[in-house]
Amino acid sequence: MLFRDSAAAVAAECHSGALFFRLTEQFVHVHGHKPGRSEVRSWERSIPVLASALNDAGLGRVEVLLEYGLPLNSKRADAVLAGVHPTTGLPSYVIVELKQWSSAEPDDDDPSLCRLDSYPRAVLNPIAQVRGYCEYLISFNGALAEHPERVNGAAYLHNATEFGVSGLFEAEQDQYGQLFVGARRGEFIDFLRSKLSPESGASAADELANGKVGPSRQLMAVAAQEVREREQFVLLDEQQIAYRTVLNAVRRAKRSDHKEVVIVTGGPGTGKSVIALSLLGELYRQGTTTLHATGSSSFTTTMRKVAGTRKREVQDLFKYFNSFMTAERNSLDVLICDEAHRIRETSANRYTPASNRTGKAQIEELIDVARVPVFLLDEHQVVRPGEMGTVAEIEAAAAKKGLHCRVVPLDSQFRCGGSDAYLRWVVRLLGLEPGGPVVWEPDDKMRLVIADSPQELESLLDGFRSDGYSARMSAGYCWKWTKKVPAGQALPADVVIGEWERPWNVFGDRSVAGAPPAALWATDPAGFGQVGCVYTAQGFEYDWSGVIIGPDLVWRGDRWVTDRTASRDPVFKKSTPDADVDRLIRNTYKVLLTRGMIGTVVYSTDTETRERLRTLAGATLSVAAV
């Protein structure tokens, strides 16, 4: 959170003007950049209104937690009110979403969405937004998991009249999502009094702050139940908008026999695959003909294994992008294309029969096969030459066919413990955004360790595994890779750094000497001990990530230098331009450095690079502290 104090103290800080300077200062410390002017303006206009309502209700001793960060997530609730329930005498919490809107209308297709004149796209109804925050917080905070009745949610549109937002009340309201408007301020005050007493809320706030944060419900662990039974993920804000945008498109396609394309775009950990599985589960339950497809062998194989453990037909829901070369046009209601940045120019390869070589672009095949093709992608995770799944390419292919294309951007992220600051540090570190590297300032979401040797890196990760965490080692593709291992022999130790030797992960779809097949390296516990590459790590996450930066990317003087001669990646041909190799190598390390949910241990094979990393890691955890 950015600020915590009693309602009376918040009101005093608002009156003096000091609160907004303190919020800005703390925001910079937590996120690594200044808040936008619109965000500061919303603080200045909304927080005093909330503080005034609390004090007028006689609740000046209630604790107010401003900009409360949801665990393992970059989303923030505007305010969490902590206090004592007036009837039960037990801790009581109210999550408040504050809006400056004066008018808004429900979306024609879905009352859970709404439209404002100042926004080009539909946004989530505040009732649904605050409900999502309540449900998510209950799912991930141990203080609330056993006591969901202690949580209430309210959206307060303090500038609105009942007439201006009357349509929003069409959405269902419940304990976790209630709507109040400024024109009926008394109702909001009565609501606060019904949930909070005048007693001090300090102890309740302490209990919330000290609640054990549960680990992220990792995608693979719950995929089977997600697809077969009911939704296991709470989708928030833009995720919910993306989810509903697709469901509404499917409804329109069925109702009026038309076709449209949906693109969901976002960086690592914004929840694209969670949205994909939520959609697949819901559409599967509805009986809507739907398939999930990716360009990743590892991801597809893992989905088939985990989600189809007990039902063979579930495995058939997971396909590859090149599975639709000869498929009949519009033979599916929906095709969910996950990791769509892996789309290739064509589905054909040297093994493709001549009868299947249609000459069509892979994007066209994917669009043609379904009435609602859905593409979920991150343009900055392109790591191979020839990958071309971009928003512009898909929009152009849709336009060529005269199809309407809806784009939903995601900006919150769940990977790396929900740490925006860490992701920004990685992107700046690798020069993928302008401004140059910056010194890492530790936050309470992500841990960073710089190791002095590969032995130390592995030892640290092994220690974390002993404590019950998942961990993997990965590296840049800088060592030869023995692809064929004779039966009965152990994996050869191809990755050699001084006296430290370890094998790459298994190449292929069979286990070797107890090591899992390539597609299961990231999820099978037996994957520890082998070094993964970007192609087996991409799309997955684990608690602790160990990353070995090889000689293909070194720091020299004041900049990074890529050495294509140090790369053993066979996808780089002589014809691949140096600029493309440079970009793809940097993208590779971005992928590897953003797999960890709790922390990352980094080692570079180059002495000068290690020294630079230590400098940029700033006040990072020492090995002794870990």
Side-chain angles (χ1 to χ4, degrees):
M1 80 196 84
L2 296 188
F3 185 82
R4 170 189 163 179
D5 213 327
S6 69
V10 170
E13 292 268 356
C14 288
H15 182 71
S16 69
L19 176 63
F20 312 112
F21 291 106
R22 295 178 65 174
L23 286 171
T24 299
E25 183 179 46
Q26 185 65 9
F27 186 99
V28 172
H29 175 71
V30 171
H31 299 286
H33 63 94
K34 290 184 178 180
R37 179 58 197 151
S38 61
E39 184 152 26
V40 175
R41 188 165 54 246
S42 71
W43 294 340
E44 293 172 343
R45 295 177 179 177
S46 295
I47 294 174
V49 173
L50 175 62
S52 175
L54 284 164
N55 284 283
D56 286 353
L59 303 175
R61 300 180 69 196
V62 164
E63 290 284 297
V64 182
L65 289 64
L66 295 174
E67 295 293 324
Y68 185 90
L70 301 183
L72 301 178
N73 186 342
S74 63
K75 280 292 175 185
R76 306 188 304 273
D78 289 340
V80 176
L81 311 179
V84 177
H85 196 279
T87 303
T88 66
L90 297 172
S92 182
Y93 305 94
V94 179
I95 300 176
V96 182
E97 178 65 22
L98 299 165
K99 299 292 187 187
Q100 300 178 63
W101 305 349
S102 57
S103 62
E105 296 180 352
D107 184 75
D108 291 338
D109 291 321
D110 190 341
S112 292
L113 304 179
C114 59
R115 295 190 174 274
L116 289 76
D117 290 341
S118 56
Y119 287 78
R121 299 185 182 91
V123 298
L124 204 58
N125 186 310
I127 298 171
Q129 183 178 3
V130 74
R131 180 186 293 120
Y133 291 168
C134 290
E135 292 173 345
Y136 188 91
L137 196 55
I138 290 168
S139 296
F140 287 91
N141 187 298
L144 303 177
E146 300 300 321
H147 304 285
E149 74 283 353
R150 296 180 180 179
V151 180
N152 288 270
Y156 187 32
L157 281 56
H158 53 85
N159 287 337
T161 64
E162 191 168 8
F163 176 78
V165 295
S166 59
L168 300 190
F169 287 91
E170 294 176 16
E172 181 181 355
Q173 299 189 57
D174 57 20
Q175 172 186 346
Y176 301 141
Q178 297 188 50
L179 179 63
F180 300 91
V181 296
R184 300 176 71 95
R185 181 172 178 267
E187 291 182 356
F188 182 57
I189 290 176
D190 289 343
F191 166 78
L192 295 174
R193 285 177 176 151
S194 73
K195 306 302 177 187
L196 301 162
S197 74
E199 296 179 49
S200 171
S203 294
D206 289 343
E207 186 173 333
L208 181 68
N210 296 326
K212 183 179 180 181
V213 174
S216 173
R217 297 187 179 190
Q218 293 189 14
L219 194 57
M220 302 305 111
V222 297
Q225 190 175 2
E226 161 61 28
V227 173
R228 288 196 303 268
E229 298 175 15
R230 59 184 179 85
E231 291 183 35
Q232 296 296 303
F233 299 99
V234 177
L235 302 180
L236 300 176
D237 293 358
E238 318 96 304
Q239 294 178 326
Q240 188 72 247
I241 293 169
Y243 175 79
R244 290 184 176 279
T245 297
V246 174
L247 294 182
N248 292 335
V250 173
R251 190 158 50 245
R252 283 190 297 270
K254 288 183 175 180
R255 186 172 60 221
S256 57
D257 193 29
H258 88 294
K259 182 182 178 93
E260 63 183 89
V261 178
V262 180
I263 303 172
V264 180
T265 177
T270 47
K272 297 182 295 296
S273 293
V274 169
I275 295 167
L277 278 184
S278 294
L279 284 167
L280 187 64
E282 177 60 27
L283 294 168
Y284 188 41
R285 288 187 289 273
Q286 290 180 5
T288 301
T289 56
T290 308
L291 290 177
H292 178 286
T294 80
S296 166
S297 173
S298 296
F299 195 83
T300 299
T301 301
T302 301
M303 285 288 90
R304 287 174 173 173
K305 178 180 175 64
V306 178
T309 299
R310 291 181 290 182
K311 287 192 175 182
R312 178 66 179 84
E313 65 267 30
V314 173
Q315 296 184 16
D316 294 331
L317 300 174
F318 300 92
K319 305 291 186 183
Y320 296 105
F321 290 157
N322 61 2
S323 302
F324 307 100
M325 285 186 283
T326 59
E328 184 179 346
R329 186 183 300 269
N330 295 330
S331 55
L332 298 173
D333 291 324
V334 183
L335 178 64
I336 300 170
C337 301
D338 203 354
E339 302 255 304
H341 42 268
R342 303 291 299 271
I343 289 174
R344 310 287 292 182
E345 183 175 352
T346 175
S347 295
N349 57 42
R350 58 179 175 167
Y351 303 110
T352 303
S355 59
N356 291 350
R357 295 178 181 271
T358 63
K360 288 172 63 176
Q362 190 171 79
I363 290 177
E364 287 190 56
E365 293 172 353
L366 298 174
I367 290 176
D368 284 348
V369 75
R371 292 197 177 277
V372 181
V374 181
F375 298 91
L376 302 104
L377 59 91
D378 173 8
E379 295 177 313
H380 301 295
Q381 283 201 51
V382 173
V383 296
R384 283 184 171 183
E387 292 179 341
M388 53 185 301
T390 66
V391 174
E393 292 274 4
I394 297 170
E395 285 183 320
K400 183 178 177 182
K401 297 175 180 293
L403 300 177
H404 182 63
C405 191
R406 298 176 188 269
V407 181
V408 182
L410 305 173
D411 53 34
S412 64
Q413 64 88 25
F414 295 76
R415 189 163 288 150
C416 304
S419 174
D420 282 327
Y422 176 75
L423 281 180
R424 190 171 295 106
W425 181 82
V426 168
V427 170
R428 292 282 296 271
L429 169 73
L430 296 172
L432 297 173
E433 281 187 1
V438 294
V439 175
W440 165 248
E441 292 189 15
D443 61 9
D444 60 354
K445 295 185 175 182
M446 191 67 183
R447 300 164 70 186
L448 175 66
V449 183
I450 307 301
D452 291 326
S453 67
Q455 291 92 335
E456 183 177 77
L457 177 144
E458 184 176 26
S459 176
L460 286 170
L461 296 178
D462 201 28
F464 296 136
R465 292 176 69 242
S466 298
D467 292 335
Y469 296 101
S470 60
R472 292 292 183 276
M473 297 179 289
S474 60
Y477 204 148
C478 298
W479 293 267
K480 70 178 181 71
W481 193 332
T482 303
K483 304 294 178 64
K484 295 182 179 180
V485 180
Q489 291 190 16
L491 289 171
D494 288 330
V495 182
V496 179
I497 304 172
E499 297 180 354
W500 186 82
E501 301 179 355
R502 290 294 181 271
W504 284 112
N505 62 255
V506 173
F507 183 86
D509 57 4
R510 64 183 179 90
S511 297
V512 177
L520 301 181
W521 168 84
T523 54
D524 189 318
F528 188 80
Q530 307 112 49
V531 180
C533 75
V534 67
Y535 305 123
T536 43
Q538 190 172 29
F540 296 94
E541 59 190 32
Y542 15 87
D543 295 329
W544 279 91
S545 172
V547 179
I548 298 172
I549 300 177
D552 59 344
L553 184 66
V554 296
W555 186 268
R556 292 293 179 263
D558 61 352
R559 62 176 56 87
W560 288 107
V561 175
T562 53
D563 181 0
R564 66 182 295 163
T565 65
S567 175
R568 298 297 187 95
D569 194 333
V571 302
F572 294 150
K573 309 297 183 183
K574 289 183 179 179
S575 58
T576 307
D578 288 345
D580 287 355
V581 172
D582 176 78
R583 175 176 56 89
L584 296 172
I585 286 176
R586 292 174 192 246
N587 281 354
T588 291
Y589 284 112
K590 180 195 173 187
V591 170
L592 298 183
L593 287 166
T594 54
R595 299 303 94 189
M597 287 293 296
I598 293 175
T600 305
V601 183
V602 186
Y603 168 75
S604 171
T605 59
D606 178 72
T607 302
E608 183 176 342
T609 306
R610 283 199 304 276
E611 290 302 317
R612 180 57 175 161
L613 287 171
R614 286 195 193 95
T615 301
L616 292 172
T620 185
L621 290 173
S622 67
V623 171
V626 174

